[in-house]
Amino acid sequence: MIIVLVNCMWTCAVMLWFNLKLNHLKNPRKVRKFVIGNICYAVLITTFTIICRDRSVNASIIANMGVYILSMLIFSHRNLFCSFIEILYTFLIQVLANILFVIVYIGILKKSMAEFNQSVVANLMFSLLVLLLYILLNNNLGKAIFKLRDTVWIKHKLSMTVATAYILVIAIWCLVAANIMAYELTNPFWLIVSLVLVLIGVFLGITIFEQRNKYIALKQDSSTDELTGTMTRKAGMDYLSRMLVAAHKKGRSFNVCYLDINDLKVVNDNLGHQYGDQMICHIISTIRNNLKSSTPIIRMGGDEFLIAFQDQSHAEIKEIMDRILVMIEVKKPLTLIDYPLSFSYGIAGDTEKSKTTNPMDLITVADQKMYQYKIEYKLNGSQA
């Protein structure tokens, strides 16, 4: 038992030292929390190892993973994903140490595991081997893994947290299924641990769905204009870039229509912004009802919008937009009956001879054509 205790504590101490270096923690408060979390992990996993000496391999792996992540979460306030990568790196070191040790101790020296468990020298050699592997791998493999972890974490914080939580829930249920149904059924300690793990699994499962729903809602809010339900400029430009690349690959025609609502300022000044918003919503709703459901509409800012068309010619798009202009005026709300409702538009297309990968090239051309349309509209007797 003393050998097991010393071995566990030594492994945890080595793991703490090298993980601390790889995480580059300089804030004393964060370092203190990190150390406390690791100490709690060391105490809990050592207790587990001593009490459940006849445990299965899968129980050891999942218990180590769960205890470390939860210890760091509770006592160090570490993120699930970061802690998960730390414990996986530790597993990698342990697996390499075990492989090397088995090759030498069992394969070459022809010793047994029973002899290893009783030998202080053998356990000491194994601990030194773990330390040596940490020293050899930390400056290259360790730094590369932790750098990749930090890069992924910065770009995909919520996604990685949810994914790690999913993995933990699956691991917990696998542990419960594999051990309650097997020999640990008669072990009171395992019955208690399994019940606790079930509660943790339920808690994490609920957390996963809550985080997923928040993520979906947040993503939708950031990509959808609140007033019109169209795509925001940022989300729309990203979508246009992908559409343009896909159109080139498939040899499909790609056109954009840039439009600006006429006389919005007149309505805002005379009736108020509430009616200006009603004017915008009516025009966009009419446009949406006369287009394919898959046709993206993007709010570029204020009263300017962009529509992307695939597999439709310039003439077909012009016919559609002119028909929409008639529908807007015919079905306008009674509150705006005294004001003409319309928009100016310009169309630009990506042809086989002049392909572009930048949507702004097309938008600039369409904007210029829209401006010419606007000038003609004003010359024909607009209120503006």
Side-chain angles (χ1 to χ4, degrees), residues 228-265:
T228 61
T230 58
M231 299 176 73
T232 60
R233 183 187 179 97
K234 183 179 184 305
M237 293 301 292
D238 292 340
Y239 186 70
L240 278 181
S241 297
R242 295 195 298 271
M243 283 185 70
L244 198 52
V245 172
H248 288 165
K249 288 181 178 178
K250 297 177 182 178
R252 302 169 67 179
S253 63
F254 185 84
N255 293 275
V256 297
C257 177
Y258 199 93
L259 65 91
D260 180 278
I261 296 174
N262 296 323
D263 302 319
L264 179 62
K265 187 177 185 302

Side-chain angles (χ1 to χ4, degrees), residues 122-135:
N123 275 271
L124 178 61
M125 294 301 293
F126 179 77
S127 299
L128 291 174
L129 178 60
V130 172
L131 176 61
L132 180 62
L133 285 174
Y134 267 112
I135 294 172

Side-chain angles (χ1 to χ4, degrees), residues 191-206:
L191 289 175
I192 296 171
V193 169
S194 298
L195 289 174
V196 172
L197 289 176
V198 168
L199 294 176
I200 294 172
V202 172
F203 170 75
L204 286 175
I206 294 171

